[in-house]
Amino acid sequence: MTRSKSAARPDPAPVRRRIRGLDAEQRSAQRRSQLLEAATELFAEQSFSGTSIEQICQRAYVGTKGFYDHFDSKEACYVALLEQITAQVKQRVAEVAAEVAGRDWSQRATAVVGAFVHAIADDPRLAKVTFGEAAGISPTVEKQRRGNRRWAAAFLDGEWASGPASDERAQRRRLALALATIGGMFELIADWLHHHGGARDDVQTLIDDLTEFVGVVYVGRGMQS
């Protein structure tokens, strides 16, 4: 039985339209990136509450429909931005911690605290968005902030400890102390932003203050063990 030409050849795959070298998926990712960059600038310049979705779209050169293709609300945009910054900070801190693993605590503390500060302060906008804007926006944002603090506390406890706690109560005490320490560090950062505005020439001062604070807590922690 002879097969027809139409049966012998499969239908050609649809051609993905490319504009300026980008297909639809790539253009969507680019618009999302532009929106987050614009949101970073505007939230840092004029606060979360002082920024509208329309302003973000205008700064990003993206239409309002494009905004809602990616985010349900301005709050959702902020949460996505906070998640993006948090991921960058975690990666940088983890990389440096791996590089200094095995050294004594004072060396590791200086390196890890320095990595953390540079991750948020080399671009002053990031410190303003994460520490100057996050408090009080909404329960959803507060949940994200608390999750970030608990991650940081667990990371700090891992850097401090040489192994697991002896029992559940001891582990809770360790994590509570680490969480309180992280809260103190974040307050020092917020205070630095308020009084210095995130000036780059004051970054080393912030690193020194945080390192000394963490070191004092570490000594006290050892005395209570």
Side-chain angles (χ1 to χ4, degrees):
M1 182 176 179
T2 304
R3 297 175 65 188
S4 66
K5 289 185 179 181
S6 60
R9 297 179 182 177
D11 292 334
V15 177
R16 300 178 72 178
R17 186 183 177 205
R18 303 181 74 88
I19 299 176
R20 295 179 182 176
L22 303 177
D23 61 29
E25 185 176 336
Q26 292 169 327
R27 292 196 302 275
S28 177
Q30 184 181 65
R31 285 193 294 271
R32 187 178 191 278
S33 178
Q34 290 172 198
L35 287 164
L36 289 176
E37 177 65 18
T40 301
E41 293 176 356
L42 289 167
F43 293 157
E45 289 172 10
Q46 57 193 37
S47 78
F48 175 86
S49 61
T51 298
S52 67
I53 290 174
E54 289 74 20
Q55 288 174 320
I56 294 173
C57 293
Q58 289 171 4
R59 181 71 64 95
Y61 299 102
V62 173
T64 304
K65 179 183 181 301
F67 179 93
Y68 286 108
D69 284 342
H70 295 283
F71 311 111
D72 294 334
S73 62
K74 185 174 67 169
E75 176 196 79
C77 178
Y78 179 85
V79 169
L81 179 57
L82 192 58
E83 289 174 344
Q84 176 178 281
I85 296 171
T86 300
Q88 294 169 355
V89 172
K90 287 181 177 180
Q91 179 179 356
R92 185 162 182 176
V93 170
E95 288 173 352
V96 171
E99 291 172 3
V100 298
R103 300 183 188 179
D104 63 47
W105 165 247
S106 62
Q107 292 177 311
R108 286 187 288 120
T110 300
V112 171
V113 171
F116 169 67
V117 172
H118 282 298
I120 61 167
D122 284 352
D123 182 346
R125 301 174 308 168
L126 303 187
K128 290 179 181 178
V129 168
T130 51
F131 291 93
E133 284 297 313
I137 289 179
S138 72
T140 300
V141 172
E142 185 61 19
K143 181 179 180 180
Q144 177 75 16
R145 290 179 70 235
R146 292 294 166 182
N148 291 344
R149 289 195 179 204
R150 293 191 71 84
W151 174 87
F155 179 87
L156 180 61
D157 178 67
E159 289 294 304
W160 275 348
S162 57
S166 57
D167 55 46
E168 185 178 346
R169 182 171 181 273
Q171 183 63 31
R172 285 202 308 270
R173 289 177 58 194
R174 272 178 31 175
L175 287 175
L177 180 60
L179 187 59
T181 304
I182 293 298
M185 291 177 67
F186 285 12
E187 178 57 31
L188 286 171
I189 296 169
D191 188 73
W192 172 75
L193 275 172
H194 180 74
H195 288 287
H196 300 282
R200 292 184 181 180
D201 55 354
D202 286 316
V203 168
Q204 188 58 50
T205 299
L206 178 60
I207 293 173
D208 293 343
D209 289 346
L210 290 173
T211 303
E212 183 174 0
F213 171 65
V214 173
V216 169
V217 178
Y218 180 75
V219 171
R221 174 183 177 277
M223 294 172 65
Q224 303 225 358
S225 299

